[in-house]
Structures are given as C-alpha cells and as structure tokens.
Amino acid sequence: MMRRADRTQANRQRMRAAAQTLFTARGYAATSMQAIADEAGMAVQTLYFTFGTKRALLAELLDVAVAGDDEPVPSLDRPQVQALLDDPDPVAQLREQARQAREIYERVAPVLQVIAHAATADPEIHELWEANNAQRVVMMERMVTALVTKTALREGLDATMATDITLALLGPEVYHLLTARRGWDAERWERWTADALVTQLLPPR
C-alpha cells in the first residue's frame, strides 16, 4: 500500500503535470485553478491547499523542470554541476555545459515559453521571469570563474564579456529559435553550442 507521504507526492506531481498541460495549450492567463484541478482529477480546494496560488504552482513547475526532480538542492550544489566545475579540462567543461543545458531545456523549454508570454501582461510572472534570468546569470558567472582558473580566455575577452557570450549561447531564446522555430533537434543544438562556446571563449588551438 502506498504510504501517505508517497500518495501526497504523487498527487502533487499529478497537479503539476495537469498545470503544464493546460498552461502550454491555453496559456497561463486563460488557465484557471479550477481547470487544473479538473485536469488532475482533484478537488480545487486540494490544489489551493497544496500550492496556495496559481503563480506559486507555476514557480514550482519551473523549479522542478530546471532541476529534474523536486529535491530542495540548489543547482550549484548538485553533483553533476560540481563535477563540471571541477573538471580540469576547459574544453570538457564547456561541452558538458552544453550537454547539461540541453537536458534542462528538453524539460523546461515549454514552461519557459509559458512564463515568457505571461510576463508581458502579468507583473507577478514578469518578476518570476526576471528572477529566473538572474539565477541564470549567477550560474554562468560561476562557470566562467571556474573556466578562467583552467585556461586563458580568447584574446580580448575578460570574464564579464565571457559571461555575456555564455548567456547568449546558452540562453532559452536561442534554444527556442533553433529548435522550435528552425527545426533543429536538441542534440544538434548541443553540438553547435558546445563548438561555439569553445570557439568564442578559448584561444585557438
């Protein structure tokens, strides 16, 4: 028999899945909490008790999609990120950054599109979008800091410019453009991004 904690977690996952389905199909503003509850097969009171607000539900959906699980471990403290930062080979670090970014975007890209569209009209969702962007900056700064301990940067670059280039190449806008709009598969995006990071950030070899 499923334990109560496991059942609660499974129900939470069902509600998140229902929310993502409807947010993606209808948009954030057009999706009500009642509609999410109906899609999940739950009472709407359960949805409110679990998440409180629709914005909180979207925020958790984003966090879980980025992390790949619902464990409360910051991205920079996750073993795969620590291994990337600790890898002594700068080329290997950059290629692993592209690989991990591809894995994340395969999960999170639909949620980011929901947030990007909703942010133009909803101040609370705009705040969520900006917070996500700020977290991405912190992550890229940390990766560039690790990179410059292993190698000189390409001539003319400093750490700030290297961070800006990394943000551009690994940004959700470029991923969406090339995969959703231009038809690239995620593996092609990963290969191109890894090559671009190496070319743009490291001295010629």
mmCIF file of all heavy atoms in Angstrom, residues 38-69:
data_model
loop_
_atom_site.group_PDB
_atom_site.id
_atom_site.type_symbol
_atom_site.label_atom_id
_atom_site.label_comp_id
_atom_site.label_asym_id
_atom_site.label_seq_id
_atom_site.Cartn_x
_atom_site.Cartn_y
_atom_site.Cartn_z
ATOM 1 N N ASP A 38 -9.573 20.077 -12.400
ATOM 2 C CA ASP A 38 -10.360 19.130 -13.194
ATOM 3 C C ASP A 38 -9.451 18.223 -14.020
ATOM 4 O O ASP A 38 -9.676 17.010 -14.107
ATOM 5 C CB ASP A 38 -11.314 19.892 -14.119
ATOM 6 C CG ASP A 38 -12.424 20.618 -13.360
ATOM 7 O OD1 ASP A 38 -12.644 20.293 -12.171
ATOM 8 O OD2 ASP A 38 -13.051 21.517 -13.950
ATOM 9 N N GLU A 39 -8.423 18.802 -14.631
ATOM 10 C CA GLU A 39 -7.488 18.023 -15.446
ATOM 11 C C GLU A 39 -6.762 16.982 -14.601
ATOM 12 O O GLU A 39 -6.502 15.857 -15.058
ATOM 13 C CB GLU A 39 -6.474 18.969 -16.102
ATOM 14 C CG GLU A 39 -5.419 18.300 -16.944
ATOM 15 C CD GLU A 39 -5.916 17.807 -18.280
ATOM 16 O OE1 GLU A 39 -7.033 18.212 -18.697
ATOM 17 O OE2 GLU A 39 -5.207 17.007 -18.913
ATOM 18 N N ALA A 40 -6.446 17.357 -13.358
ATOM 19 C CA ALA A 40 -5.733 16.452 -12.463
ATOM 20 C C ALA A 40 -6.655 15.460 -11.766
ATOM 21 O O ALA A 40 -6.168 14.516 -11.133
ATOM 22 C CB ALA A 40 -4.967 17.254 -11.416
ATOM 23 N N GLY A 41 -7.953 15.675 -11.863
ATOM 24 C CA GLY A 41 -8.905 14.815 -11.162
ATOM 25 C C GLY A 41 -8.916 15.053 -9.667
ATOM 26 O O GLY A 41 -9.122 14.120 -8.884
ATOM 27 N N MET A 42 -8.682 16.316 -9.290
ATOM 28 C CA MET A 42 -8.618 16.697 -7.872
ATOM 29 C C MET A 42 -9.682 17.750 -7.561
ATOM 30 O O MET A 42 -10.141 18.460 -8.461
ATOM 31 C CB MET A 42 -7.245 17.304 -7.544
ATOM 32 C CG MET A 42 -6.078 16.438 -7.873
ATOM 33 S SD MET A 42 -5.821 15.229 -6.560
ATOM 34 C CE MET A 42 -4.296 14.471 -7.109
ATOM 35 N N ALA A 43 -10.007 17.874 -6.292
ATOM 36 C CA ALA A 43 -10.843 18.999 -5.863
ATOM 37 C C ALA A 43 -10.010 20.271 -5.927
ATOM 38 O O ALA A 43 -8.818 20.269 -5.607
ATOM 39 C CB ALA A 43 -11.346 18.775 -4.442
ATOM 40 N N VAL A 44 -10.626 21.367 -6.344
ATOM 41 C CA VAL A 44 -9.892 22.621 -6.451
ATOM 42 C C VAL A 44 -9.367 23.070 -5.091
ATOM 43 O O VAL A 44 -8.310 23.714 -4.989
ATOM 44 C CB VAL A 44 -10.754 23.710 -7.120
ATOM 45 C CG1 VAL A 44 -11.866 24.189 -6.176
ATOM 46 C CG2 VAL A 44 -9.884 24.875 -7.582
ATOM 47 N N GLN A 45 -10.073 22.719 -4.019
ATOM 48 C CA GLN A 45 -9.599 23.074 -2.673
ATOM 49 C C GLN A 45 -8.259 22.402 -2.387
ATOM 50 O O GLN A 45 -7.392 22.982 -1.715
ATOM 51 C CB GLN A 45 -10.639 22.659 -1.618
ATOM 52 C CG GLN A 45 -11.938 23.441 -1.689
ATOM 53 C CD GLN A 45 -12.955 22.818 -2.635
ATOM 54 O OE1 GLN A 45 -12.620 21.942 -3.436
ATOM 55 N NE2 GLN A 45 -14.202 23.279 -2.549
ATOM 56 N N THR A 46 -8.083 21.164 -2.898
ATOM 57 C CA THR A 46 -6.805 20.469 -2.711
ATOM 58 C C THR A 46 -5.686 21.200 -3.430
ATOM 59 O O THR A 46 -4.567 21.328 -2.919
ATOM 60 C CB THR A 46 -6.908 19.024 -3.230
ATOM 61 O OG1 THR A 46 -7.975 18.356 -2.554
ATOM 62 C CG2 THR A 46 -5.604 18.271 -3.021
ATOM 63 N N LEU A 47 -5.984 21.703 -4.619
ATOM 64 C CA LEU A 47 -4.989 22.450 -5.389
ATOM 65 C C LEU A 47 -4.569 23.720 -4.636
ATOM 66 O O LEU A 47 -3.375 24.017 -4.514
ATOM 67 C CB LEU A 47 -5.570 22.801 -6.745
ATOM 68 C CG LEU A 47 -4.601 23.360 -7.792
ATOM 69 C CD1 LEU A 47 -3.561 22.332 -8.185
ATOM 70 C CD2 LEU A 47 -5.377 23.822 -9.025
ATOM 71 N N TYR A 48 -5.545 24.446 -4.123
ATOM 72 C CA TYR A 48 -5.228 25.662 -3.369
ATOM 73 C C TYR A 48 -4.477 25.334 -2.076
ATOM 74 O O TYR A 48 -3.536 26.032 -1.697
ATOM 75 C CB TYR A 48 -6.501 26.441 -3.039
ATOM 76 C CG TYR A 48 -6.976 27.329 -4.164
ATOM 77 C CD1 TYR A 48 -8.137 27.030 -4.875
ATOM 78 C CD2 TYR A 48 -6.264 28.469 -4.519
ATOM 79 C CE1 TYR A 48 -8.584 27.843 -5.909
ATOM 80 C CE2 TYR A 48 -6.701 29.292 -5.550
ATOM 81 C CZ TYR A 48 -7.856 28.976 -6.232
ATOM 82 O OH TYR A 48 -8.286 29.784 -7.256
ATOM 83 N N PHE A 49 -4.878 24.269 -1.410
ATOM 84 C CA PHE A 49 -4.198 23.884 -0.170
ATOM 85 C C PHE A 49 -2.739 23.514 -0.443
ATOM 86 O O PHE A 49 -1.847 23.832 0.355
ATOM 87 C CB PHE A 49 -4.923 22.701 0.482
ATOM 88 C CG PHE A 49 -4.259 22.212 1.736
ATOM 89 C CD1 PHE A 49 -4.451 22.870 2.939
ATOM 90 C CD2 PHE A 49 -3.416 21.101 1.707
ATOM 91 C CE1 PHE A 49 -3.832 22.432 4.103
ATOM 92 C CE2 PHE A 49 -2.794 20.654 2.871
ATOM 93 C CZ PHE A 49 -3.001 21.321 4.064
ATOM 94 N N THR A 50 -2.491 22.876 -1.574
ATOM 95 C CA THR A 50 -1.142 22.401 -1.904
ATOM 96 C C THR A 50 -0.230 23.542 -2.348
ATOM 97 O O THR A 50 0.931 23.610 -1.930
ATOM 98 C CB THR A 50 -1.206 21.334 -3.002
ATOM 99 O OG1 THR A 50 -2.051 20.256 -2.561
ATOM 100 C CG2 THR A 50 0.183 20.776 -3.316
ATOM 101 N N PHE A 51 -0.733 24.440 -3.191
ATOM 102 C CA PHE A 51 0.128 25.454 -3.805
ATOM 103 C C PHE A 51 -0.195 26.892 -3.376
ATOM 104 O O PHE A 51 0.659 27.760 -3.514
ATOM 105 C CB PHE A 51 0.050 25.354 -5.332
ATOM 106 C CG PHE A 51 0.589 24.067 -5.875
ATOM 107 C CD1 PHE A 51 -0.267 23.052 -6.261
ATOM 108 C CD2 PHE A 51 1.955 23.864 -5.984
ATOM 109 C CE1 PHE A 51 0.221 21.855 -6.762
ATOM 110 C CE2 PHE A 51 2.456 22.667 -6.481
ATOM 111 C CZ PHE A 51 1.596 21.658 -6.868
ATOM 112 N N GLY A 52 -1.388 27.126 -2.913
ATOM 113 C CA GLY A 52 -1.751 28.476 -2.481
ATOM 114 C C GLY A 52 -2.244 29.351 -3.604
ATOM 115 O O GLY A 52 -3.373 29.842 -3.575
ATOM 116 N N THR A 53 -1.423 29.547 -4.638
ATOM 117 C CA THR A 53 -1.782 30.415 -5.756
ATOM 118 C C THR A 53 -1.337 29.782 -7.068
ATOM 119 O O THR A 53 -0.474 28.898 -7.093
ATOM 120 C CB THR A 53 -1.112 31.800 -5.638
ATOM 121 O OG1 THR A 53 0.316 31.629 -5.764
ATOM 122 C CG2 THR A 53 -1.438 32.473 -4.315
ATOM 123 N N LYS A 54 -1.907 30.287 -8.145
ATOM 124 C CA LYS A 54 -1.507 29.806 -9.473
ATOM 125 C C LYS A 54 -0.062 30.191 -9.771
ATOM 126 O O LYS A 54 0.680 29.420 -10.390
ATOM 127 C CB LYS A 54 -2.459 30.370 -10.532
ATOM 128 C CG LYS A 54 -2.248 29.780 -11.916
ATOM 129 C CD LYS A 54 -3.381 30.115 -12.876
ATOM 130 C CE LYS A 54 -3.417 31.585 -13.241
ATOM 131 N NZ LYS A 54 -4.255 31.844 -14.437
ATOM 132 N N ARG A 55 0.365 31.366 -9.324
ATOM 133 C CA ARG A 55 1.747 31.779 -9.534
ATOM 134 C C ARG A 55 2.713 30.833 -8.815
ATOM 135 O O ARG A 55 3.747 30.446 -9.361
ATOM 136 C CB ARG A 55 1.979 33.194 -9.034
ATOM 137 C CG ARG A 55 3.392 33.713 -9.331
ATOM 138 C CD ARG A 55 3.913 34.549 -8.174
ATOM 139 N NE ARG A 55 5.236 35.109 -8.478
ATOM 140 C CZ ARG A 55 6.384 34.581 -8.073
ATOM 141 N NH1 ARG A 55 6.405 33.483 -7.335
ATOM 142 N NH2 ARG A 55 7.534 35.148 -8.389
ATOM 143 N N ALA A 56 2.377 30.451 -7.580
ATOM 144 C CA ALA A 56 3.238 29.525 -6.840
ATOM 145 C C ALA A 56 3.316 28.173 -7.532
ATOM 146 O O ALA A 56 4.374 27.524 -7.546
ATOM 147 C CB ALA A 56 2.728 29.367 -5.410
ATOM 148 N N LEU A 57 2.218 27.743 -8.106
ATOM 149 C CA LEU A 57 2.208 26.481 -8.859
ATOM 150 C C LEU A 57 3.128 26.586 -10.073
ATOM 151 O O LEU A 57 3.939 25.683 -10.338
ATOM 152 C CB LEU A 57 0.776 26.162 -9.286
ATOM 153 C CG LEU A 57 0.549 24.998 -10.253
ATOM 154 C CD1 LEU A 57 1.205 23.725 -9.766
ATOM 155 C CD2 LEU A 57 -0.940 24.783 -10.477
ATOM 156 N N LEU A 58 3.058 27.695 -10.801
ATOM 157 C CA LEU A 58 3.935 27.879 -11.955
ATOM 158 C C LEU A 58 5.400 27.953 -11.531
ATOM 159 O O LEU A 58 6.271 27.383 -12.193
ATOM 160 C CB LEU A 58 3.535 29.153 -12.710
ATOM 161 C CG LEU A 58 4.364 29.497 -13.946
ATOM 162 C CD1 LEU A 58 4.304 28.379 -14.982
ATOM 163 C CD2 LEU A 58 3.898 30.817 -14.555
ATOM 164 N N ALA A 59 5.667 28.629 -10.426
ATOM 165 C CA ALA A 59 7.046 28.736 -9.933
ATOM 166 C C ALA A 59 7.602 27.366 -9.576
ATOM 167 O O ALA A 59 8.766 27.054 -9.887
ATOM 168 C CB ALA A 59 7.100 29.665 -8.726
ATOM 169 N N GLU A 60 6.808 26.525 -8.929
ATOM 170 C CA GLU A 60 7.283 25.179 -8.595
ATOM 171 C C GLU A 60 7.465 24.349 -9.854
ATOM 172 O O GLU A 60 8.430 23.580 -9.962
ATOM 173 C CB GLU A 60 6.317 24.484 -7.639
ATOM 174 C CG GLU A 60 6.795 23.097 -7.245
ATOM 175 C CD GLU A 60 6.000 22.469 -6.108
ATOM 176 O OE1 GLU A 60 5.711 23.175 -5.124
ATOM 177 O OE2 GLU A 60 5.685 21.272 -6.210
ATOM 178 N N LEU A 61 6.564 24.508 -10.804
ATOM 179 C CA LEU A 61 6.690 23.797 -12.065
ATOM 180 C C LEU A 61 8.026 24.145 -12.740
ATOM 181 O O LEU A 61 8.735 23.264 -13.248
ATOM 182 C CB LEU A 61 5.525 24.184 -12.976
ATOM 183 C CG LEU A 61 5.284 23.371 -14.229
ATOM 184 C CD1 LEU A 61 5.025 21.918 -13.903
ATOM 185 C CD2 LEU A 61 4.111 23.970 -15.002
ATOM 186 N N LEU A 62 8.393 25.414 -12.706
ATOM 187 C CA LEU A 62 9.664 25.850 -13.268
ATOM 188 C C LEU A 62 10.839 25.246 -12.510
ATOM 189 O O LEU A 62 11.778 24.705 -13.117
ATOM 190 C CB LEU A 62 9.745 27.373 -13.243
ATOM 191 C CG LEU A 62 11.072 28.000 -13.675
ATOM 192 C CD1 LEU A 62 11.383 27.667 -15.132
ATOM 193 C CD2 LEU A 62 11.046 29.503 -13.453
ATOM 194 N N ASP A 63 10.809 25.322 -11.194
ATOM 195 C CA ASP A 63 11.920 24.816 -10.383
ATOM 196 C C ASP A 63 12.145 23.328 -10.613
ATOM 197 O O ASP A 63 13.296 22.875 -10.756
ATOM 198 C CB ASP A 63 11.646 25.065 -8.894
ATOM 199 C CG ASP A 63 11.772 26.525 -8.506
ATOM 200 O OD1 ASP A 63 12.351 27.306 -9.295
ATOM 201 O OD2 ASP A 63 11.273 26.888 -7.425
ATOM 202 N N VAL A 64 11.069 22.568 -10.651
ATOM 203 C CA VAL A 64 11.188 21.118 -10.823
ATOM 204 C C VAL A 64 11.683 20.788 -12.229
ATOM 205 O O VAL A 64 12.498 19.877 -12.421
ATOM 206 C CB VAL A 64 9.848 20.428 -10.520
ATOM 207 C CG1 VAL A 64 9.889 18.949 -10.903
ATOM 208 C CG2 VAL A 64 9.509 20.572 -9.039
ATOM 209 N N ALA A 65 11.218 21.544 -13.225
ATOM 210 C CA ALA A 65 11.662 21.298 -14.592
ATOM 211 C C ALA A 65 13.147 21.604 -14.751
ATOM 212 O O ALA A 65 13.875 20.874 -15.421
ATOM 213 C CB ALA A 65 10.838 22.128 -15.571
ATOM 214 N N VAL A 66 13.621 22.668 -14.127
ATOM 215 C CA VAL A 66 15.045 23.006 -14.204
ATOM 216 C C VAL A 66 15.877 21.926 -13.520
ATOM 217 O O VAL A 66 16.883 21.449 -14.065
ATOM 218 C CB VAL A 66 15.315 24.383 -13.567
ATOM 219 C CG1 VAL A 66 16.814 24.605 -13.383
ATOM 220 C CG2 VAL A 66 14.711 25.491 -14.411
ATOM 221 N N ALA A 67 15.464 21.526 -12.327
ATOM 222 C CA ALA A 67 16.251 20.577 -11.539
ATOM 223 C C ALA A 67 16.139 19.140 -12.036
ATOM 224 O O ALA A 67 17.074 18.347 -11.902
ATOM 225 C CB ALA A 67 15.833 20.646 -10.079
ATOM 226 N N GLY A 68 14.995 18.799 -12.576
ATOM 227 C CA GLY A 68 14.748 17.419 -12.970
ATOM 228 C C GLY A 68 14.175 16.570 -11.863
ATOM 229 O O GLY A 68 13.884 15.398 -12.048
ATOM 230 N N ASP A 69 14.005 17.155 -10.682
ATOM 231 C CA ASP A 69 13.395 16.470 -9.546
ATOM 232 C C ASP A 69 12.904 17.545 -8.585
ATOM 233 O O ASP A 69 13.070 18.741 -8.837
ATOM 234 C CB ASP A 69 14.378 15.518 -8.855
ATOM 235 C CG ASP A 69 15.645 16.234 -8.373
ATOM 236 O OD1 ASP A 69 15.520 17.270 -7.679
ATOM 237 O OD2 ASP A 69 16.757 15.769 -8.682
#
